[in-house]
Amino acid sequence: MGCTFFCLPAFSCASGEYLEMKNQVCSKCVEGTYSLGSGIKFDEWDELPAGFSNVATFMDTVVGPSDSRPGGCNNSSWLPRGNYIESNRDDCTVSLIYAVHLKKSGYVFFEYQYVDNNIFFEFFIQNDQCQEMDATTDKWVKLTDSGEWGSHSVMLKSGTNILYWRTTGILMGSKAVKPVLVKNITIEGVAYTSECFPCKPGTFSSKPGSFNCQLCPRNTYSEKGAKECIRCKEDSQFSEEGASECVDRPPCTTKDYFQIHTPCDEEGKTQIMYKWIEPKICREDLSDAIRLPPSGEKKDCPPCNPGFYNNGSSSCHPCPSGTFSDGTKECKPCPAGTEPALGFEYKWWNVLPANMKTSCFNVGNSKCDGMNGWEVAGDHIQSGAGGSDNDYLILTLHIPGFKPPTSMTGATGSELGRVTFVFETLCSADCVLYFMVDINRKSTNVVESWGGTKEKQAYTHVIFKNATFTFTWAFQRTNQGQDNRRFINDVVKIYSITATNAVDGVASSCRACALGSEQSGSSCVPCPPGHYIEKETNQCKECPADTYLSIHQVYGQEACIPCGPGSKSTQDHSTCYSDCFFYYEKENRSLHYDFRNLSSVGSLMNGPSFTSKGTKYFHFFNISLCGHEPDACHHPEQVDKDLSVEEKATPLGRKMALCTNNISDFTVKEVVMGSDDYTNLVGAFVCQSTIIPSESKGFRAALSSQSIILADTFLGVTAEAALQNVNIKEDMFPVPPSHIPDVHFFYKSSTATTSCINGRSTAVKMRCNPMRPGAGVISVPRYSLSLCAYSMWSFFLEAKLKCPAGTCDGCAFYFLWESAEACPLCTEHDFHEIEGACKRGFQETLYVWNEPKWCIKGIALPEKKLSACETVDFWLKVGAGAGAFTAVLLVALTCYFWKKNQKLEYKYSKLVMTTNSKECELPAADSCAIMEGEDNEEDVVYSNKQSLLGKLKSLATKVRADV
């Protein structure tokens, strides 16, 4: 839409007047018309008023009427609904645009209803140069309470102003959104009004010079420009407030009355009675009409609710302080050594409790004002009839604060109380039950909602801070715009509502309390933080180390619950945390881990993902690995005083991740320090936000929405050997060896949801990766992993994860954190020694890390060492001497055994010869004497022990003689 410039007169008329162009004077408007003088007002939305236009965009592309592509935005627009205009319900971006020229400074004012943060609603202004004006920097419109109208106004500068009401739906899946409603757009500052506006049908003005028109009362009507309203035929016709015509009264049916229980009378009796729904619009005198059923028989009244008693009158009264009752008996004082357990338990519904209210609200008009939204029905309270099917039927419970009983003041931990209700819905249309919470009357947020028929079930909401709370149950039969009662039988029933530890509560029972050591009576005293009540003596006793005190009981040592493995308790035993150290014994090795450098918040942007129409979004996770204990040198109140706004948003004793909701920047840098409003913050060990990038939907900054808590309670730490059969890509760092286990940090959320009845749970696997220095990298599993089997974390047992968002069901989340800081501390097993050569009498020994190195920090490498050694020349001399000696010895031995062998041969030959002469009887020798010149060799050998040299000389002499 282009920007244009208008030239108008330089004066204006007052309210109720118009500029008479012929005479150039201001005249009063006649009856049946009105004027704002120098302003214009748009309060009739049967069709789009002149000057307004719709522009739909999708993925930064303007969609024209010819765009018929599947899933396009050609059918998306703001829709007139009579008294208001309604935004689109899909994930397109649609702008409602109006251009106006102001001769002087003015303002724009409008009323709106904006209850669903799945839609981003922004209002901004451009000037005649199509530049966004500074006055609209804060263009994001605040959410409103369900069923209530808010207002928004912005100052306008003189000149041409182009006004934009823009909505963008963010649909993750098939979840429907509640549209934005806008009505009563008023613009002040135009130069003049040349004519008066006629009152729209259903309104009138009876005096000249009116600046607005009044609504016609019920059972009257008016046409356009009416001076007064016309009454309907009283017996046969009716009309709602602000009607443009009367309609015939239909015959009465079962949808036109409801039943109630009368208050108990003096006899303790009640009865069921039937009443027409007011205002009554049906006729009983028609042939096919039904009559009002007669009242039922009187029955005994149900007992009083626990904590109340009947003193003989027709009503129940709360038990006095220090007493208790189950509702069937009179109040009795708590026994010695006990104190009342304060709270509320509503399970009988004969009358509406004093701290509860019921009402009816319609988004388009106030036709159900004054009606009861809910009706008591004995053993339950149920939604009423309302004015039409799209009314909000509202039930509220107000509690000024939550605080545990006296003996538990030192052991509250992070949980202060609980609100639990049992309900069921019976629906044939698209009914929805909303449960909303308001803190300190600042803003109401939808905590949970249920659509369609739901079986009887219980829901619990946990309270973490002592503040004023208003709990609201709002039921709508259908969100389709209609003014009839087609689904009057669609109903929600609440059977019981229980609130524990309510400040102004009553007691249905008593609980054991601690007695002062110096007091002989039954006066209870508060136990110090982290102390339980000993059963034998009723004295306060501190919980053992590494245990935390249960909020639900403080009687007996079993009230001290052990912390999970690898965790310890805070000084006041209120919660468990990790000091970021972990010790693990495996294969006779002691592994120590130090995760302190990873204790700050880690972030992961996962995606992108796309909606059904292609809108890009990311899942943004913040992870705070370890908790920390407050400074023991500070008093708890002083610690809380010194905390920043981010730390105040989380329970004391934890340093958690923060996720922001529905603001133009998903960091917390814009949070005003000192503010006590944390409605846009969620704090937890692990939290998640949905991020819409700046390049999507035409947003100039990234947007954050749908922030949820994934884990706010620390369970413990355990180790698991790394899986060796994981399909790892070749370009990825290898899995650590089996003796370097992955370490798991386990967390859970304390709040259950309809989809996660046991709450959400989170596991963070810390993996040693020396190639990821510093904070490392957080990711979600890329492949199927079998998680650790551990009894207290059975929800992770045999889980198979292949989902890109780190979860398959939205309840169990799993993350992989790879970092060198996740490696164990180095020990003597992580290095080896290398010995050098001996030089100049000294040898050098070096120490080097085993490769690849799977450790960090810990012990340092030992310094190299020198040791004395002998030189190589000395050993050469020793070796030569030893060799010569060995050679001489071998020669001597060889000669010795050779000679001995000759002697044996001689004796053997002589023995053979002697034997042969006897057997053959050879002739005897001529003479047995030794001939002249012969030697007796036997005598020579055995009588003369000559040296080797002498024997050689004798042998030579014998040879010569023979010659």
Side-chain angles (χ1 to χ4, degrees):
M1 178 176 177
C3 297
T4 58
F5 178 77
F6 301 92
C7 182
L8 298 173
F11 60 89
S12 60
C13 298
S15 299
E17 297 180 343
Y18 72 100
L19 178 64
E20 190 178 344
M21 298 297 293
K22 182 177 180 180
N23 300 323
Q24 292 291 300
V25 295
C26 293
S27 301
K28 290 186 177 182
C29 295
V30 298
E31 298 92 337
T33 63
Y34 75 98
S35 169
L36 298 178
S38 60
I40 50 178
K41 184 177 182 179
F42 302 95
D43 57 359
E44 188 175 353
W45 299 94
D46 295 319
E47 59 182 5
L48 202 63
F52 282 87
S53 62
N54 273 300
V55 175
T57 58
F58 184 70
M59 300 297 290
D60 299 339
T61 302
V62 177
V63 179
S66 62
D67 188 354
S68 58
R69 58 182 173 169
C73 296
N74 53 305
N75 294 323
S76 299
S77 65
W78 286 77
L79 300 176
R81 296 295 190 187
N83 292 328
Y84 58 89
I85 187 169
E86 177 184 292
S87 73
N88 58 306
R89 294 172 179 259
D90 54 24
D91 56 353
C92 293
T93 298
V94 182
S95 298
L96 179 67
I97 305 174
Y98 184 77
V100 63
H101 183 84
L102 303 184
K103 197 61 181 179
K104 61 179 181 179
S105 299
Y107 64 87
V108 57
F109 169 88
F110 61 90
E111 296 179 70
Y112 69 96
Q113 189 178 102
Y114 175 30
V115 298
D116 196 332
N117 62 6
N118 288 304
I119 293 182
F120 288 103
F121 180 31
E122 50 185 329
F123 175 74
F124 60 95
I125 304 165
Q126 288 182 344
N127 58 18
D128 49 4
Q129 284 79 39
C130 293
Q131 296 175 342
E132 194 168 331
M133 300 173 63
D134 295 336
T136 59
T137 302
D138 187 14
K139 62 183 181 180
W140 302 103
V141 183
K142 296 181 179 180
L143 289 167
T144 60
D145 297 339
S146 182
E148 295 186 6
W149 289 92
S151 62
H152 189 82
S153 62
V154 177
M155 299 301 298
L156 301 178
K157 296 180 180 180
S158 59
T160 300
N161 296 268
I162 307 174
L163 313 180
Y164 291 82
W165 292 265
R166 186 163 73 175
T167 57
T168 302
I170 308 297
L171 302 184
M172 308 303 174
S174 59
K175 183 179 180 181
V177 298
K178 296 292 181 182
V180 175
L181 311 181
V182 174
K183 69 177 183 178
N184 294 336
I185 298 177
T186 304
I187 302 173
E188 182 67 38
V190 297
Y192 69 97
T193 300
S194 60
E195 60 179 350
C196 296
F197 299 98
C199 291
K200 69 176 184 177
T203 65
F204 72 99
S205 65
S206 58
K207 297 178 180 179
S210 297
F211 64 91
N212 65 355
C213 298
Q214 300 176 356
L215 291 174
C216 287
R218 195 182 300 273
N219 293 326
T220 65
Y221 75 99
S222 71
E223 297 178 349
K224 189 173 184 177
K227 300 179 183 179
E228 61 181 7
C229 298
I230 305 172
R231 183 167 293 278
C232 300
K233 296 178 182 180
E234 187 172 348
D235 295 333
S236 61
Q237 292 182 327
F238 79 100
S239 70
E240 301 291 348
E241 185 181 40
S244 59
E245 61 179 355
C246 294
V247 295
D248 293 336
R249 293 180 181 270
C252 292
T253 65
T254 56
K255 297 180 180 181
D256 294 303
Y257 68 84
F258 63 96
Q259 70 176 29
I260 63 170
H261 285 69
T262 62
C264 294
D265 57 20
E266 295 181 354
E267 299 178 353
K269 301 290 185 179
T270 184
Q271 65 179 145
I272 296 178
M273 298 186 65
Y274 298 91
K275 295 179 62 177
W276 294 112
I277 296 174
E278 296 295 340
K280 183 183 177 183
I281 61 175
C282 65
R283 293 178 60 181
E284 299 180 68
D285 56 346
L286 298 178
S287 59
D288 55 347
I290 64 170
R291 303 293 187 270
L292 197 67
S295 300
E297 297 181 359
K298 286 190 174 183
K299 298 181 179 179
D300 291 336
C301 285
C304 294
N305 280 309
F308 293 81
Y309 73 102
N310 191 318
N311 60 358
S313 64
S314 59
S315 59
C316 296
H317 301 273
C319 287
S321 177
T323 63
F324 72 101
S325 173
D326 62 358
T328 62
K329 303 175 183 177
E330 63 180 14
C331 302
K332 297 181 180 179
C334 287
T338 64
E339 60 181 342
L342 299 180
F344 292 106
E345 183 181 359
Y346 299 126
K347 61 180 182 179
W348 300 110
W349 302 94
N350 191 56
V351 294
L352 195 67
N355 58 349
M356 299 186 72
K357 293 182 179 180
T358 177
S359 60
C360 176
F361 187 86
N362 185 275
V363 297
N365 52 53
S366 58
K367 62 188 176 186
C368 72
D369 283 354
M371 294 184 179
N372 286 337
W374 294 66
E375 301 291 345
V376 293
D379 65 342
H380 67 274
I381 183 172
Q382 66 182 28
S383 55
S388 63
D389 287 340
N390 63 347
D391 291 342
Y392 285 95
L393 309 176
I394 298 173
L395 177 69
T396 60
L397 169 64
H398 179 75
I399 296 180
F402 287 86
K403 188 178 182 181
T406 304
S407 289
M408 295 183 65
T409 54
T412 58
S414 58
E415 179 184 328
L416 296 182
R418 295 189 173 196
V419 174
T420 303
F421 58 94
V422 179
F423 72 98
E424 70 173 338
T425 57
L426 304 172
C427 299
S428 59
D430 56 338
C431 72
V432 180
L433 171 65
Y434 298 93
F435 175 62
M436 299 173 286
V437 176
D438 174 84
I439 302 177
N440 291 333
R441 301 182 183 272
K442 289 188 175 182
S443 64
T444 300
N445 294 319
V446 177
V447 175
E448 195 61 77
S449 62
W450 299 264
T453 298
K454 298 296 181 184
E455 296 181 354
K456 190 174 182 181
Q457 58 186 278
Y459 179 80
T460 298
H461 179 70
V462 181
I463 307 300
F464 292 101
K465 64 183 300 183
N466 185 16
T468 300
F469 282 83
T470 299
F471 303 96
T472 301
W473 294 262
F475 180 71
Q476 187 183 41
R477 294 187 180 92
T478 179
N479 60 11
Q480 304 299 320
Q482 54 183 343
D483 294 330
N484 52 34
R485 296 170 179 161
R486 294 173 51 198
F487 308 112
I488 191 69
N489 293 324
D490 291 1
V491 66
V492 57
K493 298 180 180 181
I494 295 181
Y495 293 92
S496 65
I497 300 177
T498 303
T500 63
N501 299 337
V503 168
D504 60 347
V506 294
S508 60
S509 61
C510 298
R511 66 195 315 160
C513 65
L515 302 179
S517 57
E518 298 179 358
Q519 300 182 19
S520 58
S522 60
S523 299
C524 293
V525 296
C527 284
H531 286 63
Y532 67 95
I533 303 173
E534 195 174 29
K535 292 182 179 180
E536 292 76 10
T537 62
N538 272 28
Q539 302 294 316
C540 297
K541 188 173 182 179
E542 186 176 3
C543 281
D546 297 335
T547 63
Y548 67 95
L549 191 61
S550 170
I551 180 63
H552 304 294
Q553 70 160 25
V554 291
Y555 194 63
Q557 189 171 352
E558 57 269 22
C560 302
I561 303 174
C563 293
S567 62
K568 55 183 62 178
S569 64
T570 55
Q571 186 175 2
D572 62 354
H573 299 277
S574 61
T575 187
C576 296
Y577 72 101
S578 171
D579 58 3
C580 276
F581 288 97
F582 180 67
Y583 305 93
Y584 182 65
E585 297 287 340
K586 183 177 179 62
E587 298 177 358
N588 297 324
R589 288 189 59 182
S590 179
L591 300 179
H592 294 186
Y593 293 83
D594 183 0
F595 299 106
R596 287 178 298 176
N597 288 343
L598 301 177
S599 60
S600 59
V601 176
S603 300
L604 166 65
M605 184 83 80
N606 187 46
S609 300
F610 298 88
T611 64
S612 58
K613 289 190 175 182
T615 300
K616 183 193 298 185
Y617 67 93
F618 296 85
H619 281 132
F620 182 76
F621 299 94
N622 268 336
I623 301 175
S624 180
L625 191 64
C626 304
H628 71 86
E629 190 169 6
D631 189 349
C633 299
H634 289 82
H635 194 269
E637 286 76 6
Q638 183 65 33
V639 172
D640 184 66
K641 181 180 178 181
D642 295 338
L643 292 177
S644 64
V645 62
E646 295 91 347
E647 292 171 318
K648 287 182 180 179
T650 61
L652 190 63
R654 300 175 183 171
K655 183 177 182 180
M656 294 187 181
L658 293 180
C659 292
T660 55
N661 192 39
N662 198 34
I663 62 173
S664 58
D665 189 351
F666 55 83
T667 65
V668 295
K669 63 176 182 290
E670 296 180 358
V671 178
V672 179
M673 299 300 293
S675 171
D676 196 31
D677 185 9
Y678 313 119
T679 56
N680 284 334
L681 292 175
V682 295
F685 281 102
V686 185
C687 60
Q688 171 193 303
S689 292
T690 301
I691 305 298
I692 313 300
S694 58
E695 69 270 13
S696 179
K697 296 290 188 180
F699 297 137
R700 298 184 180 181
L703 299 177
S704 171
S705 71
Q706 303 177 18
S707 295
I708 58 174
I709 292 176
L710 302 185
D712 56 15
T713 302
F714 185 81
L715 292 180
V717 191
T718 187
E720 173 194 22
L723 300 177
Q724 300 297 322
N725 58 349
V726 179
N727 182 20
I728 303 293
K729 297 180 180 180
E730 293 181 358
D731 58 346
M732 296 182 60
F733 197 83
V735 174
S738 59
H739 68 274
I740 305 296
D742 296 329
V743 177
H744 275 101
F745 283 74
F746 288 93
Y747 315 87
K748 72 178 184 68
S749 65
S750 55
T751 303
T753 64
T754 53
S755 57
C756 304
I757 58 176
N758 295 320
R760 295 183 177 93
S761 53
T762 303
V764 180
K765 172 178 278 192
M766 308 301 299
R767 171 162 291 176
C768 172
N769 189 336
M771 295 183 65
R772 303 286 192 186
V777 175
I778 304 175
S779 62
V780 294
R782 302 179 182 88
Y783 12 74
S784 176
L785 295 176
S786 297
L787 300 184
C788 176
Y790 193 82
S791 59
M792 69 178 295
W793 303 313
S794 58
F795 43 78
F796 288 113
L797 185 61
E798 297 299 328
K800 301 291 185 182
L801 296 177
K802 296 181 180 178
C803 304
T807 179
C808 296
D809 56 5
C811 299
F813 289 79
Y814 190 68
F815 300 94
L816 176 64
W817 193 335
E818 295 180 277
S819 172
E821 297 291 337
C823 295
L825 302 182
C826 295
T827 66
E828 64 275 4
H829 298 283
D830 295 300
F831 62 85
H832 61 277
E833 64 179 29
I834 298 177
E835 294 183 349
C838 185
K839 294 181 180 180
R840 299 178 181 178
F842 292 95
Q843 185 181 33
E844 188 178 58
T845 303
L846 299 177
Y847 298 90
V848 295
W849 295 111
N850 299 331
E851 293 295 338
K853 182 183 176 184
W854 294 98
C855 67
I856 191 172
K857 297 181 289 189
I859 66 172
L861 280 176
E863 297 290 338
K864 65 180 180 179
K865 67 178 182 179
L866 295 176
S867 56
C869 63
E870 297 292 342
T871 62
V872 67
D873 295 338
F874 170 79
W875 289 109
L876 285 175
K877 293 178 181 179
V878 172
F885 174 78
T886 303
V888 172
L889 181 61
L890 288 176
V891 171
L893 290 175
T894 300
C895 294
Y896 170 76
F897 285 108
W898 176 80
K899 181 61 180 177
K900 192 167 186 176
N901 182 57
Q902 292 296 324
K903 179 190 69 174
L904 291 175
E905 287 181 357
Y906 170 78
K907 294 178 70 173
Y908 176 74
S909 299
K910 186 177 180 180
L911 178 63
V912 170
M913 292 176 64
T914 304
T915 304
N916 290 337
S917 62
K918 287 183 179 181
E919 291 179 354
C920 298
E921 297 181 354
L922 294 177
D926 293 339
S927 177
C928 294
I930 297 176
M931 297 183 68
E932 185 180 356
E934 293 182 353
D935 293 329
N936 191 342
E937 294 180 358
E938 186 176 357
D939 294 337
V940 172
V941 172
Y942 292 100
S943 301
N944 301 324
K945 296 181 180 179
Q946 296 174 317
S947 64
L948 180 61
L949 184 58
K951 291 181 178 181
L952 292 175
K953 293 172 70 176
S954 300
L955 181 62
T957 303
K958 181 179 180 182
V959 171
R960 288 193 301 267
D962 291 338
V963 176

